Amino acid sequence: MSKTTNYRFSFGPWNISEGADPFGPTTRESFDHEAKYALYRPLGFEGVQLHDDDVVPDLANLTAAQTLAKAAAVRKAFDNQGLVAEFVAPRLWFAPQTADGGYTSNSAADRQYAIDRSLRAIDLARIVGAKAIVLWLAREGTYIREAKNVVTANQRLLEAVNRMLDYDKTIQIWIEPKPNEPTDLAFMPTAGHAAALAYASQDHRRVKLVIESAHAILANLDPGDEMAFCLAHDKLGSIHLNDQNGLKYDQDKNFGSVNLRGAFTQVLVLEDNQYGSRGEFVGLDVKTMRTQQGVPVTEHLRNSRQVFLDLVAKARTYDRRRVEEYRQARDYEGLELYTIQHLLGSR
Ligand code: XLS
Ligand code: MG
């Protein structure tokens, strides 16, 4: 067991948000990306999670040369500020061509758009120095199941991943599962689905996963178990820590804010399996409350990171010898009380 992992943290610029929700306008002024990047180091973060249009805003209206030049400038700015691009994700849920999904759309032209955009995202990842692209398959699913042939859709996802692996021989592809929202039924709901896709691909070692706590909870699964499953298969590319109050809209609450013991479980899994020792980031994907005043609001990032570190301290003082004794005696009542009292600080 490692006691020494020095964790490094990441978040995406969208985590510093203007407070809009589906029922109302923004409640804070917008804050441009360059100004956001300047906040990373002071907040204790060095990794930047990026979408393709975070790297190059308005990329649909730029020439290839303009796009590459902008990406190179972002790379330089990161280098100057001591920042690292963790990944680039093609934003395949905003463009009109992806209204009914990209890789799994019934339209051949839309599918081609999705592939082309993904390959451009790989180019951008190369330029900004990210070793992976992330596929959060937002609209790859259906609003009604009769809308698509689900067998064909799954085959198309595999073809798309193989196309990306073929295009670049070293890039990693990290799939981020989520069971619903914005679709009703997503094709890639859990780590098991994504791992099956990875193993079916032409180079499974380069296909990994991002496990987001809230997404696992939305699938009624335990986030720590989803992470452990990936670790057992060396498939945990990254994590998006946050929290979620039951089965409702995706909330991206602060890490540990709903289920502290569940958050402890996630930290234990990461600690006990040396997550981070090969440079993997502890990624956050948290939204502040719409009601929070100020521009920009960053407390949710600072606080979630702090809760993670506090739980790391708890994990490091969790008495494993005692845990083992309880396990041997099969005294899970005793083990549960010890765990809760350890979290409460009384043991
Ligand atoms: C949504 C995802 C998304 C991906 C990149 O929850 O976290 O932001 O990480 O598209
Ligand atoms: Mg996420």
Side-chain angles (χ1 to χ4, degrees), residues 14 49 51 87 89 93 134 136 176 212 215 240 250 252 285:
W14 61 91
Q49 306 167 20
H51 293 106
F87 64 73
W93 56 93
V134 164
W136 170 46
E176 182 175 335
E212 173 163 329
H215 295 183
H240 278 181
D250 186 2
D252 296 342
D285 196 358

